[in-house]
Amino acid sequence: MIGLLRKMLSMLFLLIAGTVLLVAQNQVVRISGNVKDDKGEILPYATVRLKDTSTGCITDYNGNFSFNGRVNGQTLVVSSIGYQDYQIQLSNKTVFPLKIVLKETTYEIEEVVIKPPKEKYRKKGNPAVELATEIINRRNDDNPFDNDYVSRDRYETFIIALDNFTEEKQQQAMFRKFPFLSDYVDTSKVSGKPILNVSTRELAATDFFQNKPSRQKQLVHGREWIGIEDFLPDEEVRASLEATLKDVDLFNEKVMIMRNEFVSPFADYATTYYKYYLQDTIEVEGEKCVDLAFVPRNLQSFGFTGHLYITIDSTHFVKWIQMNVPYDINLNFVEYMNLEQKFSRDSEHPRLLTYECITAEFKLYDFIDGIYGRREVFYSGYKFNDDVDREPFNHQEPVIEPSEAYGRDDEFWAQYRNIDETGTDGGKNKDVKEMLEQLRDVPVYYWTEQLINLIFSGFVPIKEERTPFYIGPVNTIMSYNGMEKMRIKLGGMTTAYLNPHLFGTGYLIYGVDDNRFKYYGRLEYSFPKKKEQWNEFPVHSLRLQYENDIYQYGQQYLYTNKDNALLSIKRLPDNMIGYVRNTELTYTRERHSGFSLTASLRNRVNEATKFIPMEKTDGSGTVKEIMQTELEIGLRYAPHEKFVQHKWNRKSKTPEHPVFTLNHTFSQAGLLGSDYSIQHTELSYRQRLMAAPIGYFDVMLRAGKIWGQAPYPLLIIPNANLSYTYRKETFDTMTPMEFVMDQHLTWDVVYYMNGLIFNRIPLFNNLKLREVLYCRGTWGSLSDKNNPAIDTSGKIFSYPTDRSKATGTVMKEPFVEIGAGVENIFKLFSINWFKRMTYKNSPDVDQWGLRIAVHLQY
């Protein structure tokens, strides 16, 4: 939950960071309205454009239009087949949205009146579709990256700003303490509204591409990023914005934006997904181009509306692309998003991207002013094949950043900056830095920043900058479980500012009810130097750790802490708890290719408790503890994986790429104190399968087997969720230790429908709700030698006899539970309902359950 709260506050902090207004002349505003005919019927797909410009859009199926443009002195022209053009003079005083009525065109010939029928879109024989088909058919032929090697230079600017400041807001009590902010106000290129830049970034680099095998590298010449997110204890805000405003290839079948998959207007089946219209002929950079407009057949689907400007010569070269995300799709927080790309050509290469711009305005809710983001990239210096430098391909890392790339001076950046084209002022980064220094001199801002810092990370630094030690995490200081009752935990960890190679982590824990201290300590040596945290990718380390703590059988916490305070409230008694003492030496080697290796030597002692008695099956008594010394080898392959770095963990931000793991554990009785000879093999696969336009699937498959005879503490126990909050890859109607197996196949499939049904229900679609379906289960078995009901030799143990839960049920068929949920409630919440489909007659089990979650998602 701390991670979910982090996401909420990351946006909210940006919204309250500051304010002020400088009234801009000749403003760019949101031009919006509705188009109907003189009989009151809506007119979908009418063309709306500022006269003598390429700025405009097409009305949706409800006749609505919305785009951004300058209004002072402009004329708005609305046209549709069979209707007279409508023109209206705009000014800064024009009130939007407009109500526009088009009159039907009539032709009088000797008292015979002919009224053209309303436009009925057709695909067959449509010249617009024929032109689109031609471009789609040759999209791969024009691809410059089909060469063996390609390189290009890039200069990139990235601005994040707080949107829409007014003089009235500046006079509000919360902003009066920051009068100096007026010195740092800029103007939005989208809305023309005053904005306060809170983050600026510049990047100068060279991109390198190899075709076979497919590889990409980037050599960074200079990088500068200054902004309020620099104080954040992780990269969540930065990663979210980078995932939104990133490179896109519009000539692919699918386009990933904001972690959603959109259908490209150049996809093989695009003429079925989109409607295409031939519009005016305009001049683009000295070349005559036809405007090919396109719009999804269903404006609630994940597609684009926009314009392709195509030369009217025989090559039909796509010179310019302008498009935006439809307002009506079920996409959170996006008030407006525009994508623009420009291309050039030469005699050998018919499609070279020279300019890319993504502009977006984000809002949490309509009544809260939002965030403005704009990313511009200028590409130049294309080289091909023998002219391409091959040296960058000798590096493992995809991004090569020499130390001198940071801290470049203004003379370096002057060779890249172009104020006329980008509007980038070389002083903007300096301005943001000065503004932050002034903000932090104001106590209310300083302490707000410190509080947000604590909530985001869960850790408290012992000094403001370059701290060598963090105290935390704070969300685990106090929690509750069935054995300890109140659990108190204090700890912390070192950073690279103490030693860039050696990292320490430790916790001291006290259980009130069992009156017992527990503790954990880890010392890790990283072979390469780290910037701040021990787990920065790629990890190459040797780690020694010792743990003396509780162990919750059948409750493994994969994506959070087991003592997270927000998980303390349980739907069933949480008392399947024993003790564990674990000493482990682990070598880890991660590579940029996606392969990683772990090798661990582990001594593990499982200690019995009153809840987890280790009673021999022959009735000869109990065992206090069992010991295993194990050697585990783990292989992991995650191609193209990237991470968001947190203080205590890191999170993959590329779920659309597969992750494969293979682990094998070996132990031999009598060797280094082991009580049992067993081998355990586990194989897993995880991936998000994109299925635009109908949503996407999160899939997890896992299989494992244990060879040898072992008691239940060493066997496979499925993961049960006892909390009322939703947790991934757990069973919500299962009890801990309901099933015990020595071989299994487990699956977890979640289908996120992205409003596929709800978006098509009138009125209901305004709620922006989304459907989600679940199917998860496990199918396994238990060998006779490991079944305490069959083997009474005394080598294994009887199951605990807590009758508040089903325990040790013999598995004769798969355990299956299904679920359905509604997400995006107020853009924050989800409610999920789960139902048990098998083993319904097991004693003391839940047949169904409701789970809630709080999370921000696009």
Side-chain angles (χ1 to χ4, degrees), residues 83-101:
Y83 295 88
Q84 299 177 20
D85 287 356
Y86 177 94
Q87 296 189 18
I88 181 174
Q89 189 74 24
L90 303 180
S91 71
N92 291 332
K93 296 182 179 180
T94 302
V95 178
F96 299 100
L98 299 171
K99 302 293 185 181
I100 294 175
V101 177

Side-chain angles (χ1 to χ4, degrees), residues 633-794:
I633 302 296
L635 300 175
R636 188 176 187 271
Y637 180 55
H640 312 295
E641 185 174 35
K642 296 181 181 180
F643 296 95
V644 178
Q645 184 70 43
H646 298 289
K647 293 303 180 190
W648 59 277
N649 73 348
R650 63 186 188 192
K651 180 176 64 177
S652 174
K653 63 176 182 178
T654 52
E656 65 274 13
H657 296 298
V659 178
F660 302 94
T661 63
L662 175 63
N663 292 275
H664 184 78
T665 304
F666 168 85
S667 61
Q668 179 66 43
L671 181 63
L672 299 178
S674 289
D675 292 321
Y676 296 91
S677 297
I678 58 174
Q679 296 189 58
H680 183 185
T681 302
E682 198 81 19
L683 175 68
S684 73
Y685 157 77
R686 292 175 176 84
Q687 187 175 10
R688 174 165 294 175
L689 303 177
M690 308 305 296
I694 64 171
Y696 60 90
F697 296 83
D698 278 352
V699 178
M700 185 281 293
L701 300 174
R702 189 171 67 248
K705 182 175 177 61
I706 292 177
W707 289 270
Q709 187 175 39
Y712 70 83
L714 305 180
L715 297 180
I716 300 165
I717 304 174
N719 199 7
N721 179 18
L722 293 189
S723 74
Y724 291 100
T725 60
Y726 171 70
R727 287 169 47 208
K728 294 175 61 176
E729 298 183 23
T730 62
F731 294 101
D732 287 275
T733 60
M734 185 184 288
T735 65
M737 291 191 63
E738 181 174 351
F739 302 100
V740 179
M741 305 172 285
D742 55 22
Q743 59 182 355
H744 78 105
L745 172 64
T746 300
W747 66 91
D748 189 339
V749 179
V750 186
Y751 175 28
Y752 296 92
M753 301 175 68
N754 276 349
L756 182 65
I757 299 173
F758 292 159
N759 282 354
R760 288 158 174 80
I761 302 176
L763 300 180
F764 195 72
N765 58 0
N766 294 327
L767 298 176
K768 301 292 186 181
L769 301 178
R770 301 173 185 171
E771 321 85 344
V772 58
L773 300 177
Y774 302 87
C775 179
R776 54 174 64 127
T778 185
W779 195 2
S781 62
L782 186 64
S783 304
D784 290 348
K785 62 179 176 291
N786 291 325
N787 189 339
I790 298 175
D791 188 294
T792 57
S793 64

Side-chain angles (χ1 to χ4, degrees), residues 359-423:
T359 306
E361 292 181 346
F362 303 94
K363 280 188 177 182
L364 183 62
Y365 297 109
D366 289 340
F367 57 86
I368 300 176
D369 288 327
I371 301 169
Y372 166 91
R374 183 177 179 91
R375 175 182 176 272
E376 290 182 289
V377 187
F378 296 85
Y379 299 101
S380 61
Y382 278 87
K383 296 180 181 179
F384 299 91
N385 299 326
D386 293 340
D387 295 331
V388 176
D389 184 8
R390 311 294 171 82
E391 195 279 332
F393 296 104
N394 296 327
H395 295 259
Q396 287 190 10
E397 60 269 35
V399 179
I400 307 159
E401 298 192 49
S403 58
E404 61 268 20
Y406 292 90
R408 295 290 195 180
D409 56 21
D410 289 340
E411 183 179 353
F412 171 86
W413 290 112
Q415 61 184 312
Y416 296 96
R417 290 168 177 159
N418 188 328
I419 296 178
D420 292 337
E421 293 187 20
T422 68

